[in-house]
Amino acid sequence: MSAARGPFLFADIETQGLRSIDTYRKGGGYEMVKTWIGGHKAPEECIEVVKASGLRGRGGAGFPTGLKWSFVPKESPKPRYLVCNADESEPGTFKDRELMEKNPHLLIEGMILAAYAIKANTGYIYLRGEFETIQRILDQAIAEARAAGLIGDKVGGGDFRFQLHTHLGAGAYICGEETALLSSLEGFRGQPRLKPPFPAVEGLYACPTIVNNVETLMNVPAILKNGAPWFRQWGTEKSPGTKIFSVSGPVKRPGNYEVPLGMPLSQLLNQHCGGPQDGVRIKAVIPGGSSVPLLPASMLDTGLDFEAMVAAGTLLGSGGVIVIDDRTCIVDALYNITRFYEHESCGKCTPCREGTYWMSEIFERLESGHGREKDIDLLWDVSDNIMGKSFCALGDAAAMPVLGAIKHFREEFEHHILHKRCLVNRRREEIEAFQAVTA
Amino acid sequence: MSHAPVMPTEAPPRIEWPESCRAEVKEALARYPNARSAVLPVLWIAQRQWGWVSPSALRLVADTVGLPSPEVFGIATFYTMFNLKPVGRHHVQVCMTLSCSLMGADRLFRHLERKLGIGHGETTPDGRFTLRRVECLAACGGAPCLQVNFDYHENLNEAKVDALLETLK
Amino acid sequence: MSAPVKVTVNGRTVEVPAGTLVTDAARAAEIHVPIFCSHAKLPPLGACRICVVEVGTPRLGPDRKPVLGPDGQPEIVWMPKVQTGCTTFVSDGMHVRTESPVAVKARKGVMEFLLVNHPLDCPVCDEGGECQLQDLAFAFGQDFSRMDEAKRTFESEDLGPVVKKEANRCIVCMRCVRYCDEIMGDDALTAHQRGVWTEISSFNRQPLECEQCGNCIEVCPVGALTALPYRFKARPWDLRQHITICPYCSNGCSVRLGVRGDAVLRARGTEFRGVNQEYLCVRGRFGYEFVNRGERLSTALVRSGGTLTPARFDEAVTLAATQLREIAAVHGPEAVAFLGGEKLLVEEQYLFQKLARAVVGTPHVDARTRFTARVEGAAILKATGGGRPLVSLADLTRAQEVLVLGEDLQGESPFIQAQLVRGQHHRALHMTIAHPRRVKLAWEKFRGDWLAYRPGSEQALLAGLTRAALALGDPPNPGDEARGALDGMRRSLEAWTPERIETSTGIAFARIEAAAKRLREAERKAIVFGRALTEHPAAAMLLQAVEALGWATGALEATRSSVMYAGPNNNTQGALDMGLAPDVLPGYAPASDATARQVFEPSWGGALPTARGLSAPEILKAAAEGRIKALWVVSDHWLRSAPDRALVDAALAKLELLIVSDLFLNGTGERAHVVFPAVSFAEKEGVVVNCERRLQRSVRALNPRRGARTDWEIFQAVAQAMGAKWSYRTAEDVFREIARLVPAYHGTSWGALLGGGHAWASERPLVAGPPEAFAAPSSGEVNGDALWLLSGGTLFLQGSLSYHGELLPKLAKEARARIHPEDARRLGIEDGEPIEIEGPGGTIRVASRIDGDVPAGSVFIPYAYSEVELNRLGAPAGEGMRVKARKAAMVTA
């Protein structure tokens, strides 16, 4: 694989030995640390460039990154913190894992520069518990960076002091929510906190804190090097730049792809992923991780950017693209998703805690052939009673997929109720076949 | 999943950090301005050392980071990855979330059940394998996948799984 | 202070202080917004979502002023999502809709979710009838369920002998966990697992290691946590509930007793009333059992032929009156003494001393039976500001710096402890805990300063703090008398050099200086002390030192006092107010002052005694020597409370007449000649004064035990039998007289006290005189071998009443003598082995407990265990009690 896999994040991702600092530097790595920090450029200018670039959070929320950085109070005497959200747990998403595994130094460089911009002297990388191997890779890279004077007291030969630590979670999707992440990092159960106050003002240890996704931070060095207009050469007006999309499901080439924002989803699937596997037709695609409503096959030309997805009734989310084929039962798929949210609900608030359980139970009944006529409206109403009423976005994430599935595939639900079985269910067929063989 | 009441009346016996852990514990505490933030790293050290977090270990962790024991009990049980009872040498965690399910994870899990003779949450009598269903491992492009302890194994099918199990002694 | 804010709720506009939450603003507009996880004493959580409402704010134009709509009213921009009212602070011009279709659907949705897994347990759930979930489900839930899936279930658990947990019912509001963490400081409860499998439990599901206060039960809005002692006993509508004042410590908590028929079935907090609202300690909540006991005295007893035999009440009265009159006639009224009374109502205390002084004619009256030295009746008042307005228990949570002197608040004043813990958690209150032992508040988690002074060095510690405070300059507002005494005080402290103080206390002087500085610099502060100082042999001197410290740190000021005395009993303050001390009349008027006597003489019908009255320790000695021949001991187990067992044994043997009035027949009563059966706190009505000097009405909760009388009725009967013209029909009559004659109580009445009571204060201090200079240090010899005996109250037991029940003694477990590991090693003692403690008066034997929280060179034995007769060791003297300890000799078969 010698050809570049993407415009810049993935451009040299397959370079052999990229994990080692020497190789990373050969490709121009850590230059920006010297230029901006060693060169005593104003942190405020750093924020302005990132603001101008229009970079938006790549973890799922899509909040403008530079704007978020500017929320840190200028005059606060409290120490500031930069936290990298490497809790990647949104089903269908696996981009941060590849990025960190292959190019850990890019994350470190991004964090050093971001920390400089917000005047944070301490950074933490919060990794999901399953990423222990990645923690080792990052720790190794951090040690190399420290030895090279890029982390420590005089970063890049300038006056900036920065310490960076990795922190391993232990299996909780909710810790991807920024205030839950901070709770977990502080040593509490990983439950979200009230906003306001927002983390930029009162975050880790009640100090100003910025929480950014891995991919977001990895964009920063290139933006600072090449400037905002360069970054805007890709993407749309409101969603500039590139994004890495994780494609899974029965396509020929699942994997991570860096493409300009705004590319039609169908182009990503057909051009980059080789289209569906032979003999498979696409019924629906979830464009942004399991938390967002699915798009039926008829809407696959929707652009992969924040605005277009909203207009299509869904969200760009984390960019976890899950392809659902026409022999997969939508109800079964939603059962799987709903069970996920039930397992991951932190339990703090009533609607999510009880509602995800309830919906799972209803789905189980539907799947096992005991569905009732009122179940569809019941599912809809339960989802509606969760949406906007829960403490954090996990409740919405549990509700939205159900609403989307009922909206676009009501007939599959009706089929379950009327005929007490799925319209189609390849998964079930495979299991039955397996059991027949092994019985 | 109903909980049988354990309700012991005796406090669990006190244990100490073995010498080999002390430096690591100290380093973990030093990473944060606030000792309690080290509770997850220190829980990991305990689990690496003993294979699981027993009530005694929970108490030790609590004392180490300066938290009340009940609170550490609550923290450890909040997350899925701390083993509250001993597990086998090879903890086989199979992802069952949507992408993997679409690509055959359910069938794969049944295969493992049959092959190992155990179900979800159970351990083989020889202590070699523990089998568990888990949620999305962020390896969706290589579905179906599983983790053995911390090692990822992707793009699996029954044959590959069988071959993998052979290598896990 | 920010300007008040206008909020419109459902069209109704109210003005509320800035910083008000929407739920509270709604309440101000008399609109009810339901809550579960929200609690008045806990910071906003926003978890249960039942309080969701629509919130809107005025649209602001470019000039930052509200844009007006066509109707001339500000245009309101409604937030796209409903908001939890309990976490949203009001802003000026805010609008709230609680009954709009959106708000109603949201609330009903949450209500439905709450009932998804909540079992339909009402028929078997103790909470039924007073369950917030029930009430709110009835108010706006549906009358059918759409959820007919299987519910998630847990096993129920006993989290110890007090708390029953039915986790199925839990709605995960987390009030119990937060209350236990943030107000009790016990951190005993935790939520484990997550999601719908979240279960409240203890560490490893073991019995809760906590104060067993049961407040978790109280704040649980459903029947997930219920009280085991009350389980399945009654339904709330079966109970008559009345609010009494707790009979145990001096915090004066309001207790809502639930009575059915003749029995008290339970006690609960009052939610919004009293000083404590929902809070109760384990004693207040579970210590009512003694009221119900069958072995309570229900008949008078008189000694006849060597044994106590039941007698009719009037017979006993006649006997007592006749004998009192005879002994007074033959030996003089000063051969009669009256002891006890700290647990009586104010009305009863007043009549007790009136009986003594005006009817019998003796000046020997003292409620303070545990005191080991003579202390003037007004000494404590003087030390706490002479009657100036006093810091309140509510104020304590807002203090910045609190110094606790020698008191283990957990055992003595649990509610004060909870106030301090709450202040520390929520409002950055800092505590300085001066105590030889590592008491609960000295634990690191409370982030206070622990001044572990050596036992016996109380004076040095106070000298050090005062000296350091005065070194910072004069306090800002001492008032004239005190200001004039400051230089003299400084001079008297010169002998107390930092080196001497360090050597004596074992504390680095810099730390003492820092503590004094913190107190001085705090705008809101308090000093709390209790029996550790007042029952000390040098109490008189120590109280003067506390006063000096108060002035020096600014805790005492010209117009107010932040020095609080937390007495050991529920009406210790009342006893002092009512003159149950030999040298003061009710209202602290000196008994030696003729003008003071003249206030009472006309009303009391005769001249009052002029001779010097003996205090309790002096009465003890006099009775042991046979100079006191008749004694009335009221509501006090004198055999145990008297400081010296040998003396009290001698006294009881020599007395010609011992009258006892009490609820139970105890060791003291068994030696009596006349025993009157008294009613409990729950069976009478009257006034009790707490440590805030707050008069509170305790209401009668159940009918008096058949045969028993209120103490005031007993006193009146005897007084009348002795010829006094008393004619009180009710206790209220007595109170009217008190209010008339005692200046501090002028203007109060039973009726006026029904609200939150009334904390009396007097503009001009009742006790005149500047603070005394410091006494010079004494050169006490230190007996190397001896250990200091430390004692004090304990949480589960207080006095003999707490023994008459099952739960409290069970929680208290057995008595232990706690010694430091070093001493244990030196004495060759293993944990649990019995040891002998030898004091100047005798020896006792107690099982040991090795405890690093006890200072080396001391042994700690709490006083309240019935099997440990501490006073057999003799009375402490000098700087405290020194004892020897050794392994107990084997008990031969």
Side-chain angles (χ1 to χ4, degrees):
Chain A
M1 279 271 299
S2 54
R5 270 183 58 196
F8 69 96
L9 280 175
F10 267 1
D12 55 357
I13 194 108
E14 301 298 343
T15 307
Q16 209 182 30
L18 187 55
R19 279 187 205 163
S20 105
I21 193 171
D22 294 328
T23 312
Y24 180 72
R25 284 181 122 155
K26 274 208 194 87
Y30 289 122
E31 265 174 30
M32 286 304 102
V33 174
K34 208 161 79 170
T35 309
W36 281 80
I37 302 177
H40 300 283
K41 286 177 107 157
E44 292 75 19
E45 201 188 319
C46 189
I47 298 180
E48 287 311 305
V49 174
V50 172
K51 241 190 195 167
S53 75
L55 172 68
R56 293 168 70 157
R58 295 290 191 249
F63 194 87
T65 307
L67 187 60
K68 195 191 228 182
W69 289 5
S70 72
F71 288 156
V72 173
K74 304 279 175 291
E75 301 307 323
S76 173
K78 297 198 249 187
R80 292 96 182 281
Y81 293 94
L82 176 69
V83 175
C84 171
N85 186 343
D87 188 63
E88 184 165 67
S89 304
E90 180 74 25
T93 319
F94 47 98
K95 59 181 176 75
D96 296 335
R97 185 169 149 241
E98 184 174 6
L99 282 168
M100 289 189 286
E101 210 168 44
K102 294 184 175 164
N103 201 355
H105 282 288
L106 182 55
L107 174 60
I108 294 170
E109 185 177 3
M111 286 192 75
I112 296 170
L113 292 165
Y116 182 70
I118 64 166
K119 304 195 179 105
N121 300 116
T122 310
Y124 294 99
I125 304 173
Y126 186 103
L127 295 146
R128 63 179 287 179
E130 295 84 346
F131 284 0
E132 198 250 17
T133 329
I134 302 203
Q135 185 188 33
R136 289 176 200 260
I137 292 171
L138 282 167
D139 282 341
Q140 164 81 351
I142 291 172
E144 286 185 330
R146 191 176 292 119
L150 296 155
I151 291 177
D153 281 340
K154 284 187 169 304
V155 173
D159 296 319
F160 181 54
R161 189 175 39 88
F162 184 60
Q163 286 299 343
L164 183 57
H165 307 284
T166 59
H167 180 99
L168 198 64
Y173 164 76
I174 183 62
C175 290
E177 197 278 342
E178 68 173 353
T179 61
L181 188 158
L182 294 176
S183 280
S184 178
L185 184 48
E186 287 189 18
F188 293 89
R189 286 159 60 89
Q191 294 188 313
R193 296 177 168 171
L194 288 171
K195 291 194 281 203
F198 290 87
V201 175
E202 262 183 57
L204 193 61
Y205 312 122
C207 296
T209 306
I210 292 294
V211 183
N212 279 140
N213 172 260
V214 168
E215 189 188 346
T216 312
L217 288 163
M218 283 180 158
N219 273 273
V220 171
I223 291 175
L224 288 182
K225 175 171 177 178
N226 301 301
W230 167 87
F231 186 72
R232 285 181 168 279
Q233 73 179 277
W234 300 286
T236 69
E237 160 76 38
K238 292 207 176 126
S239 304
T242 66
K243 181 158 179 20
I244 299 179
F245 290 90
S246 306
V247 184
S248 61
V251 290
K252 290 217 176 80
R253 290 192 294 276
N256 286 314
Y257 296 92
E258 184 194 4
V259 299
L261 282 166
M263 171 185 284
L265 171 58
S266 50
Q267 186 179 338
L268 170 68
L269 294 176
N270 294 323
Q271 204 175 296
H272 292 263
C273 304
Q277 286 173 352
D278 291 332
V280 167
R281 272 189 27 226
I282 298 178
K283 177 153 74 172
V285 176
I286 301 176
S290 65
S291 302
V292 310
L294 49 70
L295 286 170
S298 57
M299 296 178 77
L300 291 189
D301 289 331
T302 309
L304 285 165
D305 65 78
F306 293 101
E307 285 64 42
M309 283 296 165
V310 170
T314 181
L315 295 166
L316 188 67
S318 64
V321 177
I322 306 176
V323 173
I324 296 174
D325 63 293
D326 64 345
R327 282 172 47 245
T328 292
C329 170
I330 290 291
V331 177
D332 193 29
L334 263 298
Y335 180 24
N336 185 296
I337 292 175
T338 306
R339 249 201 340 259
F340 170 80
Y341 290 107
E342 185 205 335
H343 290 166
E344 298 297 337
S345 171
C346 78
K348 179 166 186 167
C349 78
T350 311
C352 172
R353 181 184 72 243
E354 307 291 341
T356 54
Y357 175 86
W358 193 3
M359 290 204 294
S360 282
E361 296 290 302
I362 298 171
F363 270 108
E364 191 187 341
R365 252 194 317 105
L366 282 170
E367 262 305 288
S368 62
H370 296 101
R372 300 186 206 121
E373 207 187 301
K374 293 188 183 147
D375 280 343
I376 303 175
D377 290 337
L378 181 59
L379 276 175
W380 184 277
D381 199 39
V382 171
S383 294
D384 187 54
N385 283 339
I386 300 174
M387 272 294 281
K389 324 291 191 298
S390 56
F391 190 94
C392 80
L394 197 152
D396 299 337
M400 283 194 288
V402 176
L403 294 169
I406 293 175
K407 175 170 160 195
H408 292 292
F409 292 97
R410 194 182 181 101
E411 67 278 9
E412 291 209 27
F413 288 84
E414 286 169 347
H415 191 277
H416 271 86
I417 293 166
L418 215 49
H419 302 286
K420 304 197 183 310
R421 38 181 278 275
C422 310
L423 195 52
V424 297
N425 197 331
R426 173 171 56 81
R427 180 186 77 89
R428 185 190 293 273
E429 286 164 19
E430 282 175 5
I431 293 176
E432 284 164 3
F434 173 81
Q435 273 163 336
V437 163
T438 60
Chain B
M1 181 169 99
S2 183
H3 300 257
V6 175
M7 292 202 274
T9 49
E10 297 284 311
R14 284 207 178 277
I15 57 176
E16 298 294 333
W17 292 111
E19 194 53 50
S20 51
C21 291
R22 286 178 201 265
E24 217 187 327
V25 168
K26 200 157 164 233
E27 191 271 324
L29 287 165
R31 270 183 247 148
Y32 312 91
N34 195 330
R36 79 171 293 161
S37 299
V39 67
L40 282 185
V42 175
L43 278 167
W44 278 119
I45 295 172
Q47 178 152 296
R48 261 203 301 280
Q49 173 65 27
W50 288 294
W52 63 300
V53 285
S54 63
S56 294
L58 289 173
R59 226 171 138 190
L60 174 63
V61 171
D63 291 341
T64 304
V65 302
L67 281 175
S69 300
E71 195 153 357
V72 173
F73 190 65
I75 291 168
T77 56
F78 178 83
Y79 302 94
T80 57
M81 295 187 74
F82 291 122
N83 304 320
L84 300 171
K85 46 183 194 173
V87 297
R89 284 193 302 285
H90 307 287
H91 194 172
V92 178
Q93 302 154 88
V94 184
C95 173
M96 307 296 289
T97 314
L98 185 61
S99 300
C100 286
S101 175
L102 289 170
M103 303 305 283
D106 304 83
R107 188 187 154 121
L108 193 71
F109 190 82
R110 308 267 167 131
H111 174 76
L112 279 161
E113 278 182 311
R114 193 183 58 80
K115 183 106 179 146
L116 298 176
I118 52 178
H120 164 75
E122 294 175 350
T123 305
T124 52
D126 61 0
R128 198 168 151 205
F129 295 107
T130 297
L131 179 64
R132 268 210 316 144
R133 292 193 203 99
V134 295
E135 298 289 352
C136 182
L137 290 172
C140 325
C145 73
L146 55 82
Q147 253 192 323
V148 178
N149 301 338
F150 288 114
D151 298 326
Y152 276 79
H153 300 275
E154 303 178 45
N155 298 305
L156 297 170
N157 53 38
E158 280 154 49
K160 286 189 187 166
V161 157
D162 288 348
L164 171 63
L165 291 180
E166 277 304 303
T167 70
L168 300 172
K169 298 295 168 213
Chain C
M1 282 262 45
S2 316
V5 154
K6 279 204 176 61
V7 184
T8 306
V9 185
N10 296 351
R12 208 178 290 173
T13 305
V14 286
E15 213 175 73
V16 293
T20 302
L21 293 166
V22 164
T23 38
D24 294 326
R27 190 182 304 126
E30 293 181 2
I31 288 163
H32 172 243
V33 175
I35 55 169
F36 280 118
C37 68
S38 171
H39 190 277
K41 290 190 184 168
L42 297 168
L45 187 64
C48 73
R49 319 304 286 178
I50 196 69
C51 66
V52 282
V53 292
E54 280 198 283
V55 174
T57 48
R59 184 205 303 278
L60 296 181
D63 59 354
R64 310 300 294 160
K65 289 208 169 67
V67 171
L68 298 181
D71 58 355
Q73 295 300 316
E75 245 181 63
I76 302 299
V77 179
W78 293 95
M79 295 177 77
K81 295 201 287 191
V82 290
Q83 302 294 315
T84 44
C86 73
T87 61
T88 309
F89 290 101
V90 299
S91 59
D92 200 35
M94 181 183 272
H95 279 242
V96 177
R97 291 200 285 235
T98 73
E99 300 299 328
S100 65
V102 166
V104 168
K105 177 158 202 288
R107 180 186 317 133
K108 287 195 166 175
V110 174
M111 190 73 235
E112 184 177 35
F113 284 134
L114 284 168
L115 295 173
V116 159
N117 280 307
H118 191 85
L120 200 57
D121 272 1
C122 299
V124 297
C125 173
D126 275 349
E127 202 84 358
E130 51 187 10
C131 171
Q132 293 179 39
L133 185 64
Q134 232 181 19
D135 291 346
L136 292 174
F138 192 72
F140 52 79
Q142 294 160 315
D143 56 358
F144 62 92
S145 176
R146 299 193 292 180
M147 150 79 177
D148 49 10
E149 322 299 333
K151 295 185 189 242
R152 63 102 180 87
T153 58
F154 301 102
E155 303 273 347
S156 78
E157 283 177 350
D158 290 1
L159 291 177
V162 164
V163 180
K164 177 78 183 178
K165 184 186 67 152
E166 302 274 4
N168 293 342
R169 302 175 188 162
C170 177
I171 58 169
V172 198
C173 69
M174 297 294 280
R175 273 181 172 189
C176 54
V177 174
R178 291 181 289 145
Y179 202 99
C180 190
D181 285 1
E182 298 173 31
I183 296 177
M184 300 307 298
D186 272 337
D187 301 293
L189 287 166
T190 184
H192 62 113
Q193 314 272 34
R194 69 179 186 218
V196 85
W197 295 103
T198 306
E199 192 186 353
I200 304 299
S201 191
S202 57
F203 174 70
N204 201 27
R205 299 181 187 275
Q206 285 167 227
L208 291 166
E209 280 175 30
C210 63
E211 291 190 5
Q212 313 288 339
C213 61
N215 286 323
C216 52
I217 298 166
E218 182 82 39
V219 298
C220 178
V222 298
L225 296 178
T226 53
L228 273 170
Y230 174 64
R231 188 169 168 78
F232 296 151
K233 288 226 171 106
R235 285 300 193 184
W237 55 84
D238 285 342
L239 301 174
R240 295 189 328 269
Q241 302 196 70
H242 298 279
I243 299 178
T244 58
I245 301 298
C246 180
Y248 287 106
C249 83
S250 67
N251 295 166
C253 294
S254 295
V255 178
R256 184 156 45 108
L257 291 180
V259 173
R260 187 176 62 189
D262 288 336
V264 177
L265 293 190
R266 69 163 189 197
R268 289 198 66 163
T270 59
E271 206 175 353
F272 295 121
R273 284 196 272 192
V275 301
N276 53 315
Q277 295 90 45
E278 77 295 324
Y279 170 98
L280 283 179
C281 76
V282 62
R283 297 192 293 242
R285 193 177 294 285
F286 298 113
Y288 56 81
E289 288 185 273
F290 71 87
V291 174
N292 300 330
R293 302 296 285 195
E295 61 267 24
R296 272 189 51 194
L297 289 167
S298 57
T299 164
L301 302 168
V302 299
R303 188 167 294 279
S304 139
T307 50
L308 283 172
T309 52
R312 285 201 332 265
F313 182 71
D314 56 300
E315 284 175 352
V317 167
T318 309
L319 184 60
T322 315
Q323 298 243 3
L324 279 170
R325 215 196 337 240
E326 248 181 59
I327 290 172
V330 169
H331 302 283
E334 287 160 49
V336 183
F338 288 74
L339 278 181
E342 281 192 341
K343 294 171 116 62
L344 300 181
L345 301 168
V346 147
E347 295 83 351
E348 297 169 333
Q349 291 164 337
Y350 177 79
L351 288 188
F352 192 55
Q353 59 84 39
K354 185 176 172 184
L355 171 64
R357 292 180 164 122
V359 180
V360 173
T362 174
H364 308 316
V365 102
D366 201 343
R368 307 159 300 170
T369 51
R370 290 194 165 273
F371 277 30
T372 55
R374 184 184 175 95
V375 175
E376 284 174 12
I380 293 173
L381 186 69
K382 187 152 193 292
T384 56
R388 292 174 173 84
L390 182 59
V391 66
S392 72
L393 291 168
D395 289 336
L396 288 180
T397 62
R398 293 185 278 269
Q400 294 151 314
E401 178 69 35
V402 175
L403 168 66
V404 181
L405 282 173
E407 210 63 5
D408 178 6
L409 292 176
Q410 182 183 54
E412 305 288 357
S413 291
F415 180 60
I416 295 183
Q417 176 178 264
Q419 294 291 75
L420 297 181
V421 169
R422 185 174 151 218
Q424 188 270 320
H425 264 104
H426 294 155
R427 294 190 183 131
L429 181 157
H430 180 271
M431 294 181 260
T432 302
I433 307 296
H435 205 291
R437 292 184 292 120
R438 190 198 306 273
V439 294
K440 178 166 171 178
L441 287 180
W443 293 353
E444 264 178 53
K445 71 167 150 181
F446 297 116
R447 314 231 186 116
D449 259 79
W450 176 34
L451 298 178
Y453 64 88
R454 290 214 189 85
S457 69
E458 289 84 359
Q459 189 193 10
L461 175 69
L462 290 166
L465 289 166
T466 311
R467 182 188 165 112
L470 289 176
L472 298 167
D474 281 1
N477 190 17
D480 298 328
E481 270 188 341
R483 187 180 297 115
L486 293 175
D487 282 335
M489 209 185 287
R490 282 193 181 91
R491 277 195 299 277
S492 73
L493 283 164
E494 277 165 15
W496 287 98
T497 60
E499 296 73 38
R500 171 171 236 128
I501 288 166
E502 272 190 16
T503 314
S504 184
T505 61
I507 302 173
F509 192 69
R511 291 189 62 220
I512 294 177
E513 275 180 317
K517 185 159 187 276
R518 281 193 302 272
L519 271 172
R520 265 291 282 269
E521 288 176 351
E523 200 186 299
R524 299 181 301 279
K525 61 194 123 189
I527 297 176
V528 179
F529 71 95
R531 68 158 88 208
L533 299 185
T534 57
E535 291 176 11
H536 194 281
M541 180 264 292
L542 290 174
L543 284 169
Q544 286 170 351
V546 169
E547 188 195 352
L549 176 63
W551 290 114
T553 54
L556 290 176
E557 292 181 283
T559 50
R560 57 186 184 158
S561 162
S562 307
V563 179
M564 179 183 275
Y565 168 58
N569 284 305
N570 68 330
N571 209 3
T572 306
Q573 184 63 45
L576 292 170
D577 287 356
M578 291 297 105
L580 289 187
D583 58 320
V584 291
L585 298 170
Y588 300 95
S592 58
D593 185 305
T595 328
R597 291 199 298 272
Q598 270 155 29
V599 171
F600 297 97
E601 279 166 349
S603 170
W604 290 4
L608 293 180
T610 55
R612 177 183 178 280
L614 297 176
S615 68
E618 294 167 325
I619 292 172
L620 171 64
K621 192 153 177 292
E625 290 167 6
R627 287 181 282 122
I628 300 268
K629 305 211 185 284
L631 186 60
W632 188 325
V633 177
V634 66
S635 76
D636 189 67
H637 190 352
W638 196 42
L639 190 65
R640 302 288 310 269
S641 65
D644 189 327
R645 180 58 178 258
L647 286 180
V648 72
D649 274 334
L652 292 174
K654 287 209 170 80
L655 283 167
E656 288 180 17
L657 172 66
L658 173 63
I659 304 171
V660 163
S661 46
D662 211 327
L663 273 67
F664 296 93
L665 186 65
N666 54 33
T668 308
E670 278 164 3
R671 319 276 192 99
H673 301 90
V674 180
V675 178
F676 288 112
V679 301
S680 72
F681 76 103
E683 298 156 77
K684 58 187 176 181
E685 186 155 13
V687 176
V688 176
V689 192
N690 76 350
C691 56
E692 298 170 304
R693 289 195 220 117
R694 180 183 302 275
L695 281 75
Q696 298 188 98
R697 244 288 303 263
S698 185
V699 167
R700 203 182 72 179
L702 74 166
N703 289 327
R705 174 69 59 109
R706 193 193 303 274
R709 305 291 166 112
T710 64
D711 287 277
W712 72 264
E713 285 175 320
I714 298 170
F715 304 149
Q716 172 157 258
V718 172
Q720 285 168 341
M722 290 183 73
K725 302 275 183 284
W726 292 12
S727 58
Y728 304 103
R729 290 156 308 151
T730 62
E732 190 173 5
D733 285 346
V734 182
F735 193 79
R736 283 199 200 93
E737 183 175 313
I738 297 170
R740 197 164 44 83
L741 296 178
V742 176
Y745 285 38
H746 280 339
T748 56
S749 66
W750 271 25
L753 291 175
L754 268 178
H758 165 71
W760 72 260
S762 121
E763 271 177 38
R764 277 183 41 249
L766 295 183
V767 196
E772 299 286 332
F774 255 80
S778 63
S779 55
E781 350 104 34
V782 176
N783 182 345
D785 221 11
L787 302 173
W788 287 98
L789 175 72
L790 302 177
S791 189
T794 181
L795 177 60
F796 298 118
L797 297 171
Q798 189 205 9
S800 54
L801 289 178
S802 47
Y803 261 99
H804 292 277
E806 287 183 20
L807 183 66
L808 291 182
K810 182 163 145 189
L811 292 172
K813 301 190 192 134
E814 48 154 18
R816 294 287 182 130
R818 293 176 175 263
I819 51 175
H820 191 272
E822 270 172 38
D823 295 312
R825 242 187 325 271
R826 187 169 49 83
L827 299 167
I829 292 169
E830 310 233 337
D831 189 79
E833 273 193 307
I835 54 177
E836 275 174 9
I837 316 273
E838 184 189 324
T843 304
I844 59 174
R845 185 194 166 99
V846 192
S848 65
R849 163 78 77 220
I850 299 183
D851 188 350
D853 288 344
V854 168
S858 71
V859 55
F860 170 60
I861 308 174
Y863 84 91
Y865 285 84
S866 66
E867 65 266 34
V868 178
E869 297 173 310
L870 270 184
N871 59 358
R872 285 202 187 273
L873 297 171
E879 283 152 358
M881 182 75 161
R882 310 304 300 264
V883 295
K884 291 203 184 72
R886 58 182 162 268
K887 220 158 149 148
M890 296 299 285
V891 177
T892 52

